[in-house]
Amino acid sequence: MAGSQAPSIERLIDCFNRLPGIGKKTAQRLAYYVLSMPEEDALKFASAITDAHKKIHRCKKCCNLTDDELCPICRNAKRDESIICVVEEPKDVVALEKTQEYSALYHVLHGVISPLNGIGPDQLTIRELVKRVNDDNVKEVIMATNATAEGETTAVYISRLLKPLGVKVTRLAYGIPVGGDLEYADEVTLVRALEGRSEI
Amino acid sequence: MAGSQAPSIERLIDCFNRLPGIGKKTAQRLAYYVLSMPEEDALKFASAITDAHKKIHRCKKCCNLTDDELCPICRNAKRDESIICVVEEPKDVVALEKTQEYSALYHVLHGVISPLNGIGPDQLTIRELVKRVNDDNVKEVIMATNATAEGETTAVYISRLLKPLGVKVTRLAYGIPVGGDLEYADEVTLVRALEGRSEI
């Protein structure tokens, strides 16, 4: 097998192989597919990678990734500026935007507090969040970190920083996923769902 | 959702989304992963794509993809030049090389005869194969196209062209699961298929 493929093909396979969830065989399939694409499309793909890296930086306000000074959401005058939803990653913003039910602003932490991985509050954008709550007319901060131990810790840490500033801090509800079977929900989720029950 | 992401991120997601087997959500995950990579690695990825496209062309002899005039297999003097194994795609060569049981040459067709997709014998490298059998001292041609209807048709078509030239034409044995792709067969199955090859 070694030496049966051209070095530049092997380099391309290796690049795909480094992506998360892409194994050796998928990497090979993708590399040969890229080779079979018209040259124009392949060059477009390559420049999309370099472009994104050169143009993309953090939004001055919410720290989401953008290619302008402010991201499209922060630029949008129709957005309610009194509420900030705090998420871990840019893709969480995409997930929440898909609901089309949230029309206020976001704040992207770019991670969670994780002492095991050497990530403390200073590596996240918590300082920027506190500054926003101080400077802008923010009434509510919704913590929407993941429902993991680290996401919880981060949410609690941030809420303790923000409460003295007189802002309301809330948390996404826990419960059974819509469409999910009670049978497959874990105990902790069921306990939280019971605690958070509401009148019909 | 529209407008919530920067255009250059959306372009990158779109590029990943065009790859086979990569859906919208995986494309998004990969795009954000590429953005989180060190700039050096991202540039390496981009140049691996353009490099491969610029450098890679067909081997003058077997039509496999290579960045030299001859591919590493055709260049290898230890290879038995009297046997040619005919495959559909470059990745089939990789699969057969993995068995470490085949030490002769290949011929890559770059497709199969498929009237429904408008692919006739002239779009494949059949002419080059006939020329090799005519010019070189070839004793046997092993048809190793996929065990699909189109692969079969192509094998039969080629065997009819080659037999008048006095060459032995054989076919991989049905150790390959019928209807399956060569790329996904395991090594042992491929070895059995090589050993049990029969004359068409």
Side-chain angles (χ1 to χ4, degrees):
Chain A
M1 190 207 165
S4 74
Q5 282 180 106
S8 37
I9 299 183
E10 272 172 9
R11 262 198 304 276
L12 187 56
I13 294 175
D14 192 48
C15 280
F16 275 113
N17 198 188
R18 276 158 206 252
L19 299 178
I22 306 287
K24 188 85 191 158
K25 214 144 198 179
T26 308
Q28 188 188 295
R29 188 163 47 84
L30 295 179
Y32 278 111
Y33 180 82
V34 166
L35 279 170
S36 75
M37 294 196 308
E39 181 153 16
E40 199 196 327
D41 289 356
L43 294 182
K44 243 186 231 165
F45 189 5
S47 71
I49 293 173
T50 46
D51 261 27
H53 246 268
K54 272 180 201 146
K55 288 186 190 160
I56 294 296
H57 46 84
R58 291 182 182 180
C59 167
K60 246 187 146 176
K61 197 165 175 180
C62 75
C63 301
N64 195 359
L65 297 176
T66 178
D67 43 14
D68 268 309
E69 202 181 337
L70 287 179
C71 75
I73 294 171
C74 287
R75 270 205 313 269
N76 189 342
K78 283 181 193 154
R79 291 276 177 158
D80 179 355
E81 300 202 333
S82 68
I83 305 177
I84 295 177
C85 179
V86 178
V87 296
E88 293 181 17
E89 302 289 348
K91 54 191 169 202
D92 299 330
V93 172
V94 180
L96 282 162
E97 282 299 288
K98 261 193 201 157
T99 66
Q100 302 188 323
E101 287 284 326
Y102 182 73
S103 57
L105 302 183
Y106 292 94
H107 192 85
V108 180
L109 294 174
H110 290 281
V112 270
I113 298 173
S114 169
L116 280 176
N117 297 313
I119 298 169
D122 290 346
Q123 273 106 316
L124 309 177
T125 62
I126 295 176
R127 205 176 302 129
E128 289 84 344
L129 174 63
V130 172
K131 196 176 174 307
R132 281 178 78 183
V133 173
N134 256 330
D135 297 355
D136 304 347
N137 190 19
V138 179
K139 290 194 185 108
E140 180 180 355
V141 174
I142 306 170
M143 298 306 305
T145 50
N146 288 330
T148 57
E150 290 170 340
E152 290 296 304
T153 312
T154 310
V156 170
Y157 178 90
I158 293 175
S159 71
R160 281 188 192 154
L161 280 181
L162 295 183
K163 273 184 184 162
L165 305 176
V167 71
K168 187 174 160 195
V169 184
T170 57
R171 176 94 186 78
L172 284 193
Y174 292 111
I176 308 150
V178 177
D181 261 7
L182 216 69
E183 188 186 347
Y184 299 117
D186 60 283
E187 285 93 313
V188 183
T189 305
L190 281 175
V191 170
R192 293 288 179 95
L194 272 171
E195 282 169 359
R197 68 187 182 272
S198 58
E199 208 167 329
I200 315 183
Chain B
M1 190 201 166
S4 75
Q5 282 179 105
S8 38
I9 298 183
E10 272 171 8
R11 266 197 301 275
L12 186 57
I13 293 175
D14 193 48
C15 280
F16 275 113
N17 199 188
R18 276 160 207 252
L19 300 178
I22 305 287
K24 188 84 191 159
K25 213 146 198 174
T26 308
Q28 189 188 295
R29 188 163 47 86
L30 295 179
Y32 278 111
Y33 181 82
V34 166
L35 278 171
S36 75
M37 294 199 305
E39 181 152 16
E40 199 196 326
D41 290 357
L43 295 181
K44 243 186 230 165
F45 189 5
S47 72
I49 293 173
T50 45
D51 261 29
H53 246 268
K54 271 179 202 148
K55 289 185 188 160
I56 294 295
H57 47 82
R58 290 180 182 181
C59 168
K60 246 187 143 174
K61 196 166 177 180
C62 73
C63 301
N64 194 358
L65 297 176
T66 175
D67 42 14
D68 267 308
E69 201 181 338
L70 288 177
C71 75
I73 295 171
C74 287
R75 269 204 313 269
N76 188 344
K78 284 180 193 155
R79 291 276 178 160
D80 180 354
E81 300 202 331
S82 67
I83 306 178
I84 295 177
C85 179
V86 177
V87 295
E88 293 180 18
E89 302 289 348
K91 56 192 167 196
D92 299 330
V93 174
V94 179
L96 282 161
E97 283 298 288
K98 260 193 202 156
T99 67
Q100 303 188 324
E101 287 280 327
Y102 182 73
S103 56
L105 302 182
Y106 293 94
H107 192 85
V108 180
L109 295 173
H110 290 282
V112 272
I113 298 172
S114 170
L116 280 176
N117 297 312
I119 296 170
D122 291 346
Q123 272 105 316
L124 309 177
T125 62
I126 295 177
R127 204 176 305 131
E128 289 84 344
L129 174 63
V130 174
K131 196 176 176 306
R132 280 178 79 182
V133 173
N134 255 329
D135 296 356
D136 302 347
N137 190 20
V138 179
K139 290 193 183 109
E140 179 179 357
V141 174
I142 306 170
M143 298 305 305
T145 49
N146 286 331
T148 57
E150 290 171 340
E152 290 297 305
T153 312
T154 309
V156 170
Y157 177 90
I158 292 176
S159 73
R160 281 186 192 155
L161 279 181
L162 295 182
K163 272 184 183 164
L165 304 176
V167 73
K168 186 174 161 194
V169 184
T170 56
R171 175 92 185 80
L172 284 194
Y174 283 113
I176 310 161
V178 177
D181 261 9
L182 212 72
E183 189 192 353
Y184 296 110
D186 63 284
E187 282 92 319
V188 183
T189 307
L190 281 172
V191 170
R192 294 286 173 85
L194 270 169
E195 283 167 350
R197 65 184 184 268
S198 59
E199 198 162 345
I200 313 187

